[in-house]
């Protein structure tokens, strides 16, 4: 069952050793059971900094995960950097990732990937330069590795941002890790706290607000409002995060230059605050984050 990419599908008897190539002019399947439909022409630069994944349902014990790498074929059929040959043919190479896991959800950041297993375990891989993998270090991982700090905790939702990650436990608690430069983790950020300090006059108040961290290498519990709030979903943009409660309320934090937090101002926030919809009473059913924007699916709208 395809999870992410609409133009690729495979039967259950697909094998892990298969490698498939897709390009804008033709699609090649390595056996008769593969079903591959043509890819529409795409501007190569859009994919240069992004890692995309698809999940194809496999056997009863393991789902197959396919990573996609992007390149350009020149007239000489030599693979080269897309920026140097933007008018060439876009080639997508799909190769299976042998995780050995039964995966129910995948979320992709700019340089890392977060997997949620059928049993609620969290695995990450990719670039770890800002702690986005949650393994307590800045090293990258080429294969999925369990986030040990969350081992034994059943999670129901994961989300990957530009360089940060989020997870929600079955109890509705939020855990976040990675880059916190704009407060996207909902934890004190040095840049934001220093700005607050300039507005403070008393030394005691200034010292109180100087504590903060830009990198969180391991998952940390993030409180949201009162203890009675139970979260059910999370979404991450490049440098902002939105979470959804079971009662249909949305809370956002992080970079806000384009108003993506929905707080009626453009200030960055390092604390999750509720989004208020002007002049209407509504319940939010789903929330999505783009790179610099946020979208909501609303129900029960009353003027």
């Amino acid at each position: 069952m395809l999870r992410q990419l609409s133009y690729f599908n495979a039967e259950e008897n697909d094998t892990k050793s298969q490698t498939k190539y897709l390009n804008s002019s033709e699609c090649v399947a390595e056996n008769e059971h593969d079903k591959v439909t043509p890819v529409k022409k795409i501007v190569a630069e859009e994919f240069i900094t992004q890692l995309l994944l698809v999940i194809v349902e496999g056997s009863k014990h393991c789902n197959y995960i396919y990573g996609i790498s992007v390149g350009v074929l020149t007239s000489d059929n030599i693979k080269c950097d897309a920026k140097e040959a933007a008018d060439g043919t876009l080639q997508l190479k799909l190769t299976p990732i042998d995780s050995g896991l039964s995966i129910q959800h995948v979320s992709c950041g700019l340089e890392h990937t977060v997997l949620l297993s059928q049993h609620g375990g969290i695995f990450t891989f990719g670039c770890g330069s800002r702690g986005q993998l949650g393994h307590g270090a800045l090293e990258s991982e080429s294969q999925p590795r369990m986030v040990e700090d969350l081992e034994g905790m059943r999670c129901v939702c994961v989300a990957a941002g530009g360089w940060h990650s989020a997870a929600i436990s079955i109890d509705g608690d939020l855990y976040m890790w990675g880059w916190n430069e704009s407060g996207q983790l909902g934890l004190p950020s040095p840049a934001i706290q220093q700005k607050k300090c300039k507005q403070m006059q008393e030394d005691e108040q200034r010292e109180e607000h100087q504590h903060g961290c830009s990198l969180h290498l391991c998952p940390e519990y993030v409180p949201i409002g009162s203890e009675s709030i139970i979260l059910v979903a999370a979404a991450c943009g490049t440098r902002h995060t939105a979470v959804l409660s079971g009662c249909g309320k949305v809370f956002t934090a992080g970079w806000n230059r384009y108003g993506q937090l929905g707080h009626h101002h453009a200030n960055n926030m390092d604390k999750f605050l509720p989004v208020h919809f002007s002049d209407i009473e509504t319940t939010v059913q789903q929330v999505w984050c783009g790179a610099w924007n946020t979208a909501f699916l609303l129900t029960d709208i009353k003027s």
Side-chain angles (χ1 to χ4, degrees), residues 147-209:
V147 178
E148 296 181 357
D149 280 20
L150 297 178
E151 185 176 5
M153 178 185 299
R154 185 177 180 87
C155 293
V156 296
C157 176
V158 294
W163 300 275
H164 68 291
S165 306
I168 295 178
S169 72
I170 196 170
D171 296 321
D173 294 328
L174 175 64
Y175 293 85
M176 300 205 66
W177 61 95
W179 200 30
N180 193 40
E181 172 267 345
S182 299
Q184 55 264 51
L185 304 188
L187 297 169
S189 169
I192 297 177
Q193 296 299 326
Q194 289 173 6
K195 185 176 181 179
K196 291 180 180 179
C197 288
K198 295 179 180 179
Q199 301 173 0
M200 301 269 179
Q201 299 298 325
E202 298 181 11
D203 292 341
E204 292 183 359
Q205 291 176 316
R206 184 178 298 109
E207 292 177 1
E208 178 183 352
H209 287 275

Side-chain angles (χ1 to χ4, degrees), residues 72-86:
V72 167
L73 294 179
T74 67
S75 57
D76 297 327
N77 204 33
I78 299 174
K79 188 175 180 180
C80 63
D81 186 87
K83 292 182 180 179
E84 297 179 2

